Amino acid sequence: MDVVVLVKLALDTGQLRVSEGKVDVESTPLKVSDIDRNAVEEAVRVRERVGGLVHVVSILKYGPVQRRLQEAEGLLREVLAMGADDAYLVADEALIGSDQLATAKVIASIIRRLGKYDLVIAGEATVDGYTGQVGPRVAAELGIPVVTYVRELRVEGSRVVAKRDLEDAVQTVEAPLPALVTVTREINTPRIPTLLQIRAAVRKPISKLTLADLGLTLKPTIKVESAVPMQVKRRGVVIREGTVDEKADRLVQALIQEGLLTPR
């Protein structure tokens, strides 16, 4: 089987840089989106069971492109070390801050360029945007079935069988191949590559492409101009006077007044 796994190089939300009340996107480091690591792990497991190849597809969404290229390649080496066979990275200034529709069209173009694919796996959402739109939009562009929120996946002949998480139930569905599935964190625990796998990943190919290479000209309908972090204001109340027990009592009373504790 040829398995394609979608990987987003997301903003590292644990290391956001803020300047003048806005997220400084250009200074914030990138990371492989957490749930996409589950997607890579599941793609490798499918290949281990049935044979074939695992192709990684990624789009650089944060610029400036030339400065981010080396960072992006390093992150893709991480997923190649997990067991993927090769990677395709689209880096183009026109895609910086672009919307989910433009992203899906570019990803679909790369998948068609591969010529052969049986299964596409993506995370249910990314840690920075969390829209959950790209996977289903790619399936729509390719005209293939989509199964979302998958927590258990099996490939049986020419079909995929999946258990998917709903709000109040777990649903078992099947779909003919080729198909696209989006997975949840519960589907697996991503492996930690060994030193030999990390060294081997350096020799695996990463194809860097632009929109011109794909023969595409896109004008995104939505473009993110800035992002503002959520600010939490603290009351700054300090209890200084009294013994330890008295301070504890005052703290408890203050929390009760705020409705954070319920008196006995």
Side-chain angles (χ1 to χ4, degrees), residues 124-138:
E124 62 169 316
T126 57
V127 294
D128 50 359
Y130 224 91
T131 65
Q133 291 186 27
V134 172
R137 283 182 180 272
V138 170

Side-chain angles (χ1 to χ4, degrees), residues 100-117:
Q100 291 78 27
L101 178 58
T103 300
K105 286 183 178 295
V106 174
I107 291 173
S109 177
I110 298 173
I111 294 174
R112 293 191 194 98
R113 185 186 180 99
L114 291 174
K116 178 180 181 296
Y117 64 94

Side-chain angles (χ1 to χ4, degrees), residues 43-62:
V44 173
R45 292 188 184 191
V46 169
R47 188 201 58 199
E48 290 173 343
R49 290 193 293 266
V50 302
L53 295 172
V54 173
H55 310 284
V56 175
V57 173
S58 185
I59 295 177
L60 188 57
K61 299 291 291 291
Y62 302 105

Side-chain angles (χ1 to χ4, degrees), residues 2 7 12 38 108 171 173 184 209 245 254-255:
D2 280 61
V7 170
D12 189 340
N38 297 95
Q171 184 183 62
V173 299
T184 66
L209 304 167
D245 289 341
L255 293 174

Side-chain angles (χ1 to χ4, degrees), residues 31-254:
K31 63 181 286 188
V32 176
S33 185
D34 295 347
I35 311 175
D36 289 355
R37 289 188 180 274
N38 297 95
V40 174
E41 174 66 27
E42 196 61 25
V44 173
R45 292 188 184 191
V46 169
R47 188 201 58 199
E48 290 173 343
R49 290 193 293 266
V50 302
L53 295 172
V54 173
H55 310 284
V56 175
V57 173
S58 185
I59 295 177
L60 188 57
K61 299 291 291 291
Y62 302 105
V65 167
Q66 290 304 315
R67 186 172 64 79
R68 290 283 198 186
L69 271 176
Q70 186 174 358
E71 182 183 13
E73 182 174 347
L75 293 171
L76 289 177
R77 294 289 176 198
E78 293 181 15
V79 297
L80 289 174
M82 291 177 64
D85 295 286
D86 55 27
Y88 295 82
L89 172 66
V90 181
D92 196 299
E93 290 291 350
L95 292 171
I96 301 303
S98 59
D99 58 19
Q100 291 78 27
L101 178 58
T103 300
K105 286 183 178 295
V106 174
I107 291 173
S109 177
I110 298 173
I111 294 174
R112 293 191 194 98
R113 185 186 180 99
L114 291 174
K116 178 180 181 296
Y117 64 94
D118 301 287
L119 179 63
V120 183
I121 303 179
E124 62 169 316
T126 57
V127 294
D128 50 359
Y130 224 91
T131 65
Q133 291 186 27
V134 172
R137 283 182 180 272
V138 170
E141 291 290 330
L142 295 173
I144 60 176
V146 58
V147 183
T148 54
Y149 308 115
V150 173
R151 63 177 299 164
E152 185 177 316
L153 181 67
R154 301 195 314 274
V155 175
E156 298 181 352
S158 60
R159 62 176 185 159
V160 63
V161 180
K163 288 185 179 180
R164 58 192 302 262
D165 267 330
L166 304 180
E167 290 186 0
D168 56 355
V170 175
Q171 184 183 62
T172 300
V173 299
E174 62 178 65
L177 296 175
L180 185 147
V181 300
T182 69
V183 301
T184 66
R185 296 175 188 268
E186 290 74 24
I187 194 167
N188 58 46
T189 299
R191 67 191 66 191
I192 299 175
T194 65
L195 179 58
L196 287 177
Q197 289 172 320
I198 293 172
R199 293 176 63 181
V202 177
R203 298 188 296 272
K204 294 181 178 180
I206 297 178
S207 300
K208 302 182 186 72
L209 304 167
T210 64
L211 290 180
D213 294 328
L214 297 172
L216 295 177
T217 302
L218 296 177
K219 292 184 178 180
T221 56
I222 299 174
K223 193 172 183 67
V224 177
E225 296 293 342
S226 64
V228 179
M230 182 178 67
Q231 298 183 356
V232 178
K233 294 184 178 180
R234 302 181 182 275
R235 288 186 177 275
V237 176
V238 180
I239 302 173
R240 299 183 184 277
E241 304 297 330
T243 65
V244 173
D245 289 341
E246 290 171 340
K247 290 178 181 177
D249 288 339
R250 291 177 187 174
L251 175 60
V252 170
Q253 290 304 315

